[in-house]
Amino acid sequence: MTEKRERIHILAVDDDREFLSLLHDALKEDGYEIEMAGDPSEAMEKVEASPYDLILTDKNMPEPKGAELIYKIKTKRPNSKIIVLTAFGDVESYLELMNMGIYDYLTKPIKMSELRLSIKRALKPQEAA
């Protein structure tokens, strides 16, 4: 990519290691600095240790569940931009998570072009109203 990037840090959280590996490789190739967490506890340790420009997280994981993880992240780092990736999308959970302040909600299987567009939009500086 020819765009100038200021070391964008992304945290990807998913209990599917193969999916995490694919995300890691694709986003690293795009020039992002990406860290991975295989469960919500590991993710919270990383979030507590340092801020991220963006967090990608699965909704359905072992304890604590994805919605609880998002709540904890938003409590610790209220300005965090979060994109939820899930194989089990439904309107009720979409609305619940949007009300918690997530940026976007994508259903698996993820199309990398859609994820890249969502990431680009999430990282775009907010325009003054």
Side-chain angles (χ1 to χ4, degrees):
M1 299 193 105
T2 57
E3 291 179 25
K4 180 184 172 195
R5 288 207 200 276
E6 301 269 339
R7 296 180 57 98
I8 301 295
H9 293 92
I10 297 175
L11 175 63
V13 186
D14 202 306
D15 57 341
D16 179 343
R17 294 284 183 180
E18 188 175 323
F19 180 70
L20 267 184
S21 181
L22 291 171
L23 269 181
H24 177 271
D25 293 347
L27 297 178
K28 192 91 168 162
E29 187 177 292
D30 289 348
Y32 298 112
E33 209 167 291
I34 181 162
E35 289 188 44
M36 300 180 299
D39 62 63
S41 298
E42 181 183 0
M44 276 313 298
E45 288 175 19
K46 290 178 181 276
V47 168
E48 288 174 1
S50 64
Y52 291 89
D53 298 297
L54 181 66
I55 298 168
L56 307 173
T57 185
D58 189 7
K59 181 178 80 76
N60 294 332
M61 289 185 287
E63 297 299 322
K65 298 289 186 196
E68 187 177 337
L69 172 63
I70 292 163
Y71 175 79
K72 288 180 176 182
I73 291 170
K74 284 298 197 176
T75 300
K76 180 70 178 173
R77 303 221 183 256
N79 296 325
S80 294
K81 293 207 177 166
I82 300 172
I83 297 175
V84 173
L85 313 172
T86 183
F88 305 98
D90 60 70
V91 174
E92 187 177 308
S93 65
Y94 167 81
L95 292 174
E96 174 191 11
L97 295 173
M98 292 303 280
N99 284 331
M100 291 173 77
I102 67 166
Y103 180 79
D104 205 354
Y105 184 95
L106 303 174
T107 55
K108 294 178 182 176
I110 300 295
K111 292 180 183 164
M112 283 309 294
S113 60
E114 288 178 11
L115 179 59
R116 284 182 169 114
L117 182 58
S118 183
I119 289 170
K120 186 175 180 179
R121 286 181 179 158
L123 296 173
K124 184 177 180 181
Q126 297 297 316
E127 296 176 14

